[in-house]
Amino acid sequence: MVARSRWHHAALLRRWRAWLVTLCALTIAVVALAGGPPQVTVYPERGPCLADAATMRRDHPKMLHEQKHRTVVLGERGARVQLAQCVSCHAGAQSHSVVASERDFCRACHDYVAVKLDCFHCHQGTLGTQSAWRSGEGR
Amino acid sequence: MNRNDSCRDREISETDRSRRAFLASVATAMGAVSLAPGIFLMSVGHEVAAADEGVRRASASVRWGLLIDATRCRADCDACVLACHQENGLPLPQSSADVRWIRKVTLRDPKSGAERSFPAMCMHCAHPPCVDVCPTGASFKRADGIVLVNRHTCIGCRYCVMACPYKARNFVHAPVTTQKPEVPRGMGCAEGCTLCVHRVDQGKEPACVAACPTGALLFGDLNDPHSAIAQRVRELNARPLRSDLKLDPGVRFFGV
Amino acid sequence: MAAMTIALDHYRLSARYWRLLALLALFLAGGALSFFAMEHWGHAITGMSNHIVWGTPHVAAIFLIVAASGALNVASIASVFERVEYKPRAPLSVWLSIALLVSGLAILVLDLGQPGRLTVAMTHFNFTSIFAWNVFLYTGLLALAVFYLWTIYSPFGKPYAKAAGVAVFLWRLILTSGTGLIFGFLVGRDGYGSAMLAPTFIALSLAWGLALFLLTEAGLEAFAELVPLTDLQDRLRKLLIVFVAASLYFVVVHLMTLAYFERNSAFVRFLLLKGGQFTAVFWLGYVAIGNLLPLFWLLNKRNQPRRSMLLSSLAVVLGGIAFLYAFIIGGQAYPLQPFPGYEVVASGFDDGQVAAYIPSLPEIGLALGGFALAVTVILVGARVWPFVPRRDG
């Protein structure tokens, strides 16, 4: 009884390793074939991003997380990192949004990497509402 | 009350204290150069953050406040309420589950029978109970005295709504789709009047003040003895609501 | 007293066990459904509003958390006061406490506006908030209770048993004070804002917890088809009388404290006379069912002792829920007074008016789901570990 259960565990362990190797190989193959993340549409005519594409891909979560504290708590204004700015450059030409359709900038990539993006149920992800802040009007 | 005092003292670090003293003297000097009522320089309210050039931050040298003159407010007027809702993308309230950042009230003095009408909103207390009770620190007081909810760390427990004696905190009960880009807000968080922080930081007045047709609302820096609001508050001996609670609200009333 | 040895056991699996679990699963599913509905459509689908932000789920959650502290009574008597005859019941007492605390916390968390941000609540603390302290008090009690169970069961734990028992005892007194002070520190609301609420909640916890313990033990006995244990019946009955009377005393003193102050006296008048459903729930639910009925049953010697004790326990539990309903929801329905001394002629936010509240299906679903969770935890625990005291030989 004891011997048998030990054998059973060893087999499981061996099989578990095999599964892992297969999974890694498959992942590498898929990524290599697909050529990385989905092609997101960018609009260089609207201006350059805050940094080069590779840096942005890597650092945008950190940038945004840091800035939200600085803006909300410290009252920092005129910062380079602002969600409304991301939206104004990255909104899709048709949808005018970064999250409305599956091909929209933030959503396309986030769906692909399966990272939940829960900023736009508060922040406006769609252009259209004219922002008093950006137009600089006021009394 | 001791609880509040000690909590406030802890908030102010040593560096803050000296910077505050320095900025206060600068602000006073600048204020003395004279500013027309309702217009003020952004540099008064915002100090330059040394680390990041050109980036400004809320400064502890100012204390933003409102003066509400109920003797000038008309009972049939709700321009301030409409302006607030429009500015902040708040749908007009249909039920008690909807959000109000500002409301009009009309009161009668039972002794004299006299009626008074005025708007009420977050009082931006110096010792805010909503900040004391917030478990995560999401409810906080900015350096310049504006009491806000950091909706990135609010967990939606509603303890602040329970704690506010002015009924000024609300909870967002339903999904929101009407956000303005400069005023993000959404379901599941507590919120209240921000004193139009996004406008104030640009050197503008809150929307309610700008919309008031009778000049019953006055916005400015209570810390600056030469500001229009500080002078009027002194002149009228304007007082806060529920002064018995000793919360030192930044919103003062005359005629209530 | 006749010599009798008591052993601890798990009960045997039976068709009954699975049937009850299936029933509980139904309630748990109802709770889950309510949670997802509130998560999707928001709290707008509940009876809650910006006047009453803490509704029926809070009533259930706070009842469970307060009772969790009181459920430890029997363990404390055994360990702190060294009454060996209570020892066989200590494990069940501790496990019941864990079950109630976990379930109460589950309701609280699921009722948050942002339940997904639990990590934020666990990493950001504002120590002027009693809520932040409670996070530590609640998780601390759970940890201590688990440690205490270990000292009871493990031969290595024996030397620490007394220390663990004392620590649990002191911790739960602080915890219940902390729960009472959630309301005690609210200066703006006329029904709360009194330090009296700390001892009041402790007294209430003693009564509610003992009542739930008695019901749980009887339930498990019936469930495992055991002959009921009656060795301590008379003492537990007297204890319940003392606790019920003490809690009523504290509630009365709390209301008298409020009535003494001019502004708060209006709230007391509201609760006792003019509060509509809250007045009814307070008098009928809390005073009559929660206090008079059990006292009458327990003190009347002609009643069959076991039946009257269990019926009284049930009444105390119902009365406790009624008390919290009147206290938490009634306390919010009673209008805030931002403009003392004035009559409100018109208001854009119902100033000066008693707020309406009707418990909604999702709220009741969540609350019942929480109770079902407590029963499930007790049932599964008592199946896995030997918690059930039974007559041996």
Side-chain angles (χ1 to χ4, degrees), chain C residues 54-65:
Chain C
W54 287 356
T56 303
H58 274 77
V59 172
I62 292 175
F63 178 78
L64 288 170
I65 289 170

Side-chain angles (χ1 to χ4, degrees), chain A residues 10-22:
Chain A
L12 255 186
L13 200 70
R14 229 178 296 136
R15 231 177 282 162
W16 171 77
R17 287 210 192 106
W19 278 115
L20 199 74
V21 172
T22 320

